[in-house]
Amino acid sequence: MAYNLGSVVSEVGARLDNIPSSISGTNMNNIIIEEANFIETENGISLGSPIAFTNPYCSAIIKLVMSNVQSIIEAQGSDKSSIHLGELSVSKSSSASDSFAQKWRVEAIKDLRSLKGKYNYYQTFS
């Protein structure tokens, strides 16, 4: 399934509760484009239009955006008592949010590395 800016925003909004209005809208779109640029640079590829993303990279984009948004929420000092990811709920401690943001970033990087593929080098003798 291909994603566009709006569907990435919807997916992140469905996975993260109570995203502050200061992050939504144009700021969220800028975060998505920033993370798409990171993926292009990291993998040496072109995702094409910054408005639509190809399937293999959708999961990594969503995880990177979630990590970035969670980090911004923490930097703004948002007073959230817990974090929800689907049915999982974790009460906020000093490191609970940071661990979620870091976990999503690590998972996204793993996804990106797995998409790079395996290269076989052969040497010919003449």
Side-chain angles (χ1 to χ4, degrees):
M1 176 180 184
Y3 282 81
N4 59 31
L5 288 174
S7 57
V8 172
V9 169
S10 295
E11 192 71 30
V12 171
R15 294 181 185 194
L16 291 176
D17 286 343
N18 302 320
I19 297 174
S21 59
S22 63
I23 299 174
S24 63
T26 302
N27 291 333
M28 180 73 84
N29 289 345
N30 290 339
I31 292 169
I32 295 167
I33 292 169
E34 178 184 311
E35 296 301 352
N37 289 336
F38 169 76
I39 288 174
E40 289 180 331
T41 303
E42 182 71 18
N43 285 354
I45 59 155
S46 174
L47 293 175
S49 168
I51 299 171
F53 308 106
T54 56
N55 190 29
Y57 298 97
C58 294
S59 175
I61 288 172
I62 291 168
K63 290 174 186 173
L64 286 169
V65 172
M66 287 172 47
S67 172
N68 197 328
V69 168
Q70 186 62 48
S71 295
I72 291 170
I73 289 171
E74 287 303 308
Q76 291 178 346
S78 181
D79 187 22
K80 305 280 186 237
S81 60
S82 63
I83 298 171
H84 303 279
L85 178 59
E87 294 181 6
L88 175 66
S89 177
V90 176
S91 296
K92 185 176 177 183
S93 66
S94 60
S95 64
S97 299
D98 293 336
S99 65
F100 269 121
Q102 183 63 25
K103 179 181 180 240
W104 291 322
R105 182 153 296 275
V106 167
E107 286 182 15
I109 298 299
K110 284 180 185 177
D111 288 351
L112 290 175
R113 288 186 179 144
S114 71
L115 291 172
K116 283 187 177 181
K118 297 177 181 169
Y119 300 99
N120 295 318
Y121 296 95
Y122 299 97
Q123 182 175 4
T124 59
F125 298 98
S126 45

